[in-house]
Structure formats: structure tokens, C-alpha cells
Amino acid sequence: MAEPKIPSLQHLVRNWHSDPARIQKDLVRLVNNPPTFSYNPLFGAVRDMLVLHVPYDQIVEGIKRGVKRKSAQDILLAVLPLIREYVDGLAPDFVQQVERRYYPVGRGLMVPFEPPLVYGIGGQLYFPWFSFWRRNPLADERLSLFVTLVDELLLEDPDLETARFHILDFSAPKDKAPRELKIISASEIPRVNDERKVEMLETFVDGYLMAKANLAGVPKPGKGKDRGAEPPPPDHPDLFK
């Protein structure tokens, strides 16, 4: 039986709609046409640069060897210089990984949140979040919801509650423009109030349960012969990678 996968926290927010039927449609579509592209190699590149100090050229070659499709390589390598720009400006005293945690969205639905790392400089802890979408990054109320939920998770951890939370936005300002690195301080983002937060999360759970009911009894689709021949557009709403 096919079943909608549980999205990560940031993908829940990015794919939130005021109409649960639109959420249902997106989740069902992702089961029937799962994404074939992931930005995950870039998270590895961040750690290699910041923690292991791997030479940049070696990271480029690693992506070329590890990612077979040329079109997917091009997407990742367009972001890599901006990551280097960010990392080269840092001199952290330490870098630590952060354990995965879960946000209780409601009605038993637990959504994972897995930050890549935190680092400390001069006694101050920094919590960067990397947003690699080229188009349609989190904005407006979706961005406010995301920051609100992450704030709650940080405040639950005494080791992270004083961290400075920054969003690193690697999107392009226009469709055909090159990507740019924009660093957004979460302190500048307005939060949603509790009533609105609950309303938005309940809408998502409604859409998720509608998708689950829609897919009940439907066989899980197999991989077609041509599946993966080309990656989807860079902003294919990949919920799970």
C-alpha cells in the first residue's frame, strides 16, 4: 500500500497551503512521481570544508565522481562557490553536529528536523540553516512559521537556546539570474502567534491524512525504465532529501 512520506520540517513549511486539498495533491503526486534529485551532497561539502578543511578542488572532484548526471552536477556546482564564500569567512573555535529531533505537528504526526551543524566563535554559538532552493525559498508567512517552529526546538535544548539562528539563502533573485548568498538573521523575522501556528499545522495534518486516505489500497508505484534519466528542475518540491 502506498503511503505519503512524512516531510522534513522545512519541507512541510514550504509545501504548506491554506487549502488542505492542495497539500493532499502535492503529497499524492510525490508518491506517484518521487523526486530523483537531492541537494544532500552539498551538506557533505559544508562539513568537508568547515570541519575537515578538505581542499575545494577535491570537493569539486568528489561531486563529479559521486553524482553521475551532468545536469545534476551543474546544479550542485553552481552552489558550491557560494558555500566556499561563506566558509572562508569563518574561523570557528569548534564545530559540532546536531542530533535529529522531531516536532509534534499534531494528531500523532512527528516531523523530523535535522540541522547540519552548529559552531562557536568567541563564546557565541551559531546555528546556520542552509536553504539550497534556487527558486521560491521560504518567504512571508511560511518563513515566519519555519522560524517559529525552529525557535521552539532550540529553546527545548539548553545547549542551543542562546544560539544565533541564521538562514543561508542560496536562491537566485530572478529566474535566469545566478544564485546569490543571502544571510538572514532569524531575529529579524516576525513570528506567527500560537493561534495561527496551530491553525497552519492543523491544515497540514488535514492534508496529510487526506493523502493517506487517498492512497490507501493503492499499490506503490515501481520505478519506470526511464526513471532518473534526467533530474527534475532544481526546485522540484523534494520533501525528503
Side-chain angles (χ1 to χ4, degrees), residues 20 22 28 30 39 54 60 87 118-120 128 138-139 147 161 165 183 196 200 204 211 215-216 224 237:
R22 289 190 63 187
V28 170
L30 282 162
Y39 284 107
V54 176
V60 170
V87 171
V118 294
Y119 61 87
L138 296 180
V147 170
E161 61 181 354
F165 173 23
I183 301 177
R196 179 59 176 158
M200 294 176 77
F204 181 84
L215 291 166

Side-chain angles (χ1 to χ4, degrees), residues 18 71 93 119 195 212 220 238:
S18 58
S71 52
D93 301 319
Y119 61 87
E195 182 179 358
K212 189 172 182 178
K220 188 174 183 179
D238 180 347

Side-chain angles (χ1 to χ4, degrees), residues 25-44:
K25 182 179 179 181
D26 284 352
L27 294 177
V28 170
R29 175 176 52 79
L30 282 162
V31 170
N32 294 326
N33 183 31
T36 61
F37 174 79
S38 171
Y39 284 107
N40 274 350
L42 294 180
F43 292 110

